[in-house]
Amino acid sequence: MNNHDIDISIIAPLYNEEQVFDLLIKRLQSVMDSCSFKCEAILINDGSSDNTAQLIEDICKKDTRFTGVLLSRNHGHQIAVSAGMSYVRGKKGAMIIDGDLQDPPELVTEFYRLLNEGYDVIYAIRKNRKESFLKKLAYAGYYRLQKKISKFKIPIDSGDFSMLSRRVVDTVVSMPEQSRYLRGMRAWVGYKQIGYEYDRDERMAGETKYSWRKLFELAFNGIFNFSDFPVRLITRLGFITVVFAMIYFIYNVYRKIFYNDVPQGFTATILAIILFSGVQLISLGIIGEYVLRIYDQVRNRPLYIIDKVVRDGKTDDAL
C-alpha cells in the first residue's frame, strides 16, 4: 500500500488477545473493505505471553494493510498506543481502539465524517458500561473528580477510543512525558473537539488486562499530570491544621483563665498526634507522586523498545 493512499490508520494495542484475535482481524478487514477511504491497521503487541505476537506477524505478511509493532516487553496500554501512533501513515489521522473489541471499529466511518467536518478530535463517550456496579461507581466518581480539579476540560466518561487528526497525532507523539495519560494529552492539545456517544460492548473473549492496580496508576497519571490541586491541597491542609491548633490553644487558655482548669486526657493527645501524623504522611505521599514523575522524566529512557516491526509484508531492517 502506497503511503500517500492511506487516509486513516487504526491503532489497536494487544496484550494476550489470542482468543479474540481472529474476530478482531475479520472485523477490521470488513471495515477496511467497506470504507470509501483508505485505511491501514496498526497492531501493537505489548509483550504478550501467549501466541498474539506470532498471529500479528502472520496477518501482516498475508495482508499488507496491517502493520505489526512488536514491543520488547509489556510496557502498558498507554505506551503501546503511543508506539502505534509513531507508525501512523494516515495523512488524515488515526483512530485508537481497544483490541478486545469493546470499541467497535465500524464507527470509523462516522468518526471520519466528523473529521471532515473540521473536528480534530472525535472522542467516544460511553453511554453504558458492561461492568460491575463497583467499577461503574469508581469510574463515575473519578471522572467527575478529574473534571473538578483539572486546569482544562477533560471530557467525562471518555476513554482512549477516539479519532485524531494528523496534526494532533504528530503533536501527541512529540510530547515527551513518560507517565502518559492519552485522553488528557489529546484534551491539552486543544483544537476543535467533539464527543460521540456509543454503547460500549462487552469484552468478546478473555479477561480484562486492567487490574485495579493498573486502573489506579492510570487515574493517578490523570490527576498528577494535569492538575496542581494535590500540591495546593497540602497547603490547605497545613492551614487547616494550624487553625485547628490555634483554636484548641485559645480554648485551653480560656479554660485556664476563667475556670482554672486545663482539659486533660490521654485519648485527646493520641488523637491529635495521629491526626497531624496522618496529614504529614499524606503530604509526603502527594509530593512523592510528583517526585517519582520527575525522576522518571529526567532519566530520559526510551518510552518503549521495539523488538520487531512487520510492514508491507517485510520485517525489521527489510523495511
Side-chain angles (χ1 to χ4, degrees), residues 46 48 90 106 110 112 180 194-195 205 212 219 230 236 256 286 310:
D46 189 20
S48 299
E106 291 79 10
E110 279 297 303
Y112 187 73
R180 298 176 83 77
I194 189 173
W212 279 102
R236 293 169 187 171
K256 179 66 176 177
I286 290 173
V310 186

Side-chain angles (χ1 to χ4, degrees), residues 8-225:
I8 295 294
S9 301
I10 302 174
I11 301 170
L14 304 175
Y15 177 62
N16 292 341
E17 298 292 0
E18 181 180 17
Q19 296 180 40
V20 76
F21 188 84
D22 288 341
L23 181 57
L24 171 66
I25 297 305
K26 288 179 182 178
R27 288 180 63 175
L28 285 174
Q29 287 175 328
S30 177
V31 165
M32 291 189 285
D33 290 339
S34 61
C35 285
S36 59
F37 48 92
K38 296 288 180 141
C39 293
E40 69 168 350
I42 302 173
L43 309 176
I44 305 97
N45 177 52
D46 189 20
S48 299
S49 58
D50 63 3
N51 201 36
T52 299
Q54 187 60 52
L55 292 172
I56 291 176
E57 286 193 59
D58 292 343
I59 189 60
C60 291
K61 291 176 181 177
K62 291 178 184 176
D63 190 338
T64 56
R65 295 175 298 179
F66 288 88
T67 292
V69 179
L70 283 64
L71 302 184
S72 63
R73 63 171 177 83
N74 179 248
H75 287 76
H77 179 269
Q78 301 291 288
I79 302 295
V81 174
S82 298
M85 293 176 73
S86 298
Y87 285 86
V88 165
R89 293 187 294 187
K91 61 180 183 287
K92 291 290 189 70
M95 183 179 187
I96 301 170
I97 67 171
D98 277 346
D100 57 13
L101 290 174
Q102 288 186 289
D103 304 330
E106 291 79 10
L107 285 180
V108 65
T109 303
E110 279 297 303
F111 284 19
Y112 187 73
R113 176 182 62 81
L114 292 170
L115 190 72
N116 285 330
E117 290 179 6
Y119 293 98
D120 283 277
V121 176
I122 302 95
Y123 54 87
I125 301 174
R126 300 155 179 161
K127 290 193 295 185
N128 296 305
R129 309 183 69 110
K130 306 295 192 301
E131 281 135 350
S132 66
F133 173 77
L134 184 58
K135 271 196 174 182
K136 287 181 180 179
L137 185 64
Y139 281 127
Y142 168 71
Y143 282 124
R144 280 145 188 83
L145 172 64
Q146 184 185 61
K147 181 181 179 181
K148 187 74 173 176
I149 67 176
S150 294
K151 293 188 288 186
F152 56 93
K153 181 182 178 182
I154 299 179
I156 291 177
D157 297 327
S158 66
D160 296 317
F161 184 28
S162 58
M163 182 175 286
L164 313 177
S165 69
R166 182 71 211 204
R167 62 178 176 176
V168 173
V169 171
D170 292 340
T171 302
V172 172
V173 168
S174 71
M175 296 169 72
E177 53 250 55
Q178 296 280 330
S179 53
R180 298 176 83 77
Y181 184 69
L182 292 172
R183 64 200 73 172
M185 295 166 71
R186 75 176 182 226
W188 179 89
V189 169
Y191 298 126
K192 194 176 179 182
Q193 307 197 8
I194 189 173
Y196 184 95
E197 289 190 341
Y198 80 113
D199 291 317
R200 197 170 201 227
D201 296 328
E202 292 182 347
R203 162 177 277 275
M204 292 297 171
E207 298 179 354
T208 180
K209 307 307 184 297
Y210 260 117
S211 63
W212 279 102
R213 181 181 64 81
K214 289 183 178 181
L215 286 173
F216 274 112
E217 287 178 0
L218 184 63
F220 283 170
N221 284 340
I223 291 172
F224 290 102
N225 289 11

Side-chain angles (χ1 to χ4, degrees), residues 239-256:
F239 277 117
I240 290 171
T241 53
V242 168
V243 169
F244 178 81
M246 289 301 296
I247 291 173
Y248 190 65
F249 173 74
I250 293 170
Y251 172 71
N252 284 341
V253 171
Y254 173 82
R255 292 295 298 263
K256 179 66 176 177

